Amino acid sequence: MLNSNAGSLELSISGEDYKYLIKVRRHKVGDTVCFRTKEKLSEEYRYHLERTDGKNGYFSLQSHHHSPCVNERKLHIGWCLIDPKTVEKTLPMLTELGVEKITFIHCHRSQQNFRLDYERMMRLMESSIMQCGRTSLIELSESPALSTFLKAHPDAVILDFGGETLKSDENIETVVIGCEGGFDENERKQFASHRVRLFSSPMILRSETAAVAIASRLL
């Protein structure tokens, strides 16, 4: 659970946090509950639930540990921009899988009117890490074009038709996923010198499905 007062000798919760811990997670007096702050996610503070009054929960600090929870393998996804609503639905899964960074690329077939709500995505990731125990948020950024991204990441692997079958033991740290409709011919010329990979399945995956699948395969 994230709480800005984690680390203090005494801590109290109310509102949605109270509902989540007491009603949903069913914690009761005497339980030990772990809290962290957004600023120091790797620091774990264990609290004893002393009492509740129906609206508030009151805790006392028991211990403090440096307790990071991160993947050993790193994955940076260059994701050609799709509908932000779809991104938001997929982001919690990518958080739980351990994706380190996502760069949203404005590709030729990305709709130019799409605008990402970074504050909302941060809230979604914060909720996700409280569920899965991860102690870092995905780093989010944007790139104005595929050519710009490839210039900055010359070792990027492209997920596209016509490549070799992706192997789970391949050393891939950066992968590019197309938007709905895929890459145009000019973009394919831009990554002609890059490794191109595809899944062994004959099915055509949606962009968000491909993002989850590639993270599941490589991490």
Side-chain angles (χ1 to χ4, degrees):
M1 168 67 72
L2 297 178
N3 190 292
S4 59
N5 293 318
S8 58
L9 293 178
E10 296 182 345
L11 182 150
S12 64
I13 60 169
S14 60
E16 292 300 318
D17 288 347
Y18 179 85
K19 291 180 181 179
Y20 175 69
L21 280 181
I22 307 303
K23 304 295 184 181
V24 178
R25 298 291 295 272
R26 298 174 184 260
H27 282 295
K28 58 186 183 297
V29 172
D31 284 354
T32 297
V33 180
C34 298
F35 288 87
R36 300 174 189 264
T37 66
K38 297 178 185 179
E39 295 75 20
K40 296 181 179 180
L41 287 170
S42 294
E43 302 303 311
E44 179 185 83
Y45 301 92
R46 295 185 180 182
Y47 283 82
H48 182 266
L49 179 53
E50 301 289 350
R51 62 187 177 88
T52 64
D53 60 13
K55 294 183 178 180
N56 303 280
Y58 302 92
F59 299 82
S60 62
L61 181 64
Q62 287 185 316
S63 60
H64 165 226
H65 307 274
H66 180 69
S67 181
C69 180
V70 295
N71 273 353
E72 291 185 7
R73 299 187 69 174
K74 308 295 183 185
L75 181 62
H76 177 191
I77 296 178
W79 196 356
C80 292
L81 189 58
I82 61 174
D83 189 335
K85 292 182 180 179
T86 302
V87 172
E88 291 170 2
K89 291 178 181 178
T90 312
L91 194 57
M93 289 181 279
L94 297 178
T95 300
E96 292 170 17
L97 288 168
V99 172
E100 182 181 38
K101 182 177 181 178
I102 298 174
T103 299
F104 298 102
I105 307 170
H106 293 264
C107 294
H108 180 75
R109 288 175 175 161
S110 295
Q111 294 189 31
Q112 300 306 311
N113 61 331
F114 286 154
R115 296 292 182 271
L116 294 165
D117 186 341
Y118 282 91
E119 290 186 4
R120 176 170 170 76
M121 290 193 290
M122 289 295 289
R123 293 195 298 270
L124 290 168
M125 288 191 292
E126 288 170 1
S127 177
S128 181
I129 65 173
M130 287 194 290
Q131 292 282 345
C132 70
R134 175 175 172 165
T135 55
S136 65
L137 299 174
I138 298 176
E139 181 183 346
L140 304 177
S141 64
E142 288 186 60
S143 179
L146 180 60
S147 58
T148 305
F149 183 85
L150 295 177
K151 184 177 181 179
H153 303 282
D155 296 328
V157 175
I158 316 298
L159 189 64
D160 192 28
F161 301 108
E164 297 179 11
T165 301
L166 177 70
K167 299 177 181 178
S168 59
D169 59 352
E170 281 195 81
N171 182 23
I172 298 176
E173 294 187 356
T174 303
V175 63
V176 177
I177 298 171
C179 58
E180 301 300 337
F183 303 101
D184 68 10
E185 289 309 310
N186 183 54
E187 289 172 331
R188 286 194 167 93
K189 291 178 182 178
Q190 294 172 18
F191 59 69
S193 62
H194 288 253
R195 282 185 290 166
V196 179
R197 295 291 183 267
L198 51 71
F199 292 111
S200 58
S201 170
M203 309 301 179
I204 298 175
L205 304 182
R206 290 175 296 175
S207 181
E208 65 272 22
T209 306
V212 173
I214 196 75
S216 301
R217 179 69 65 88
L218 297 177
L219 291 173

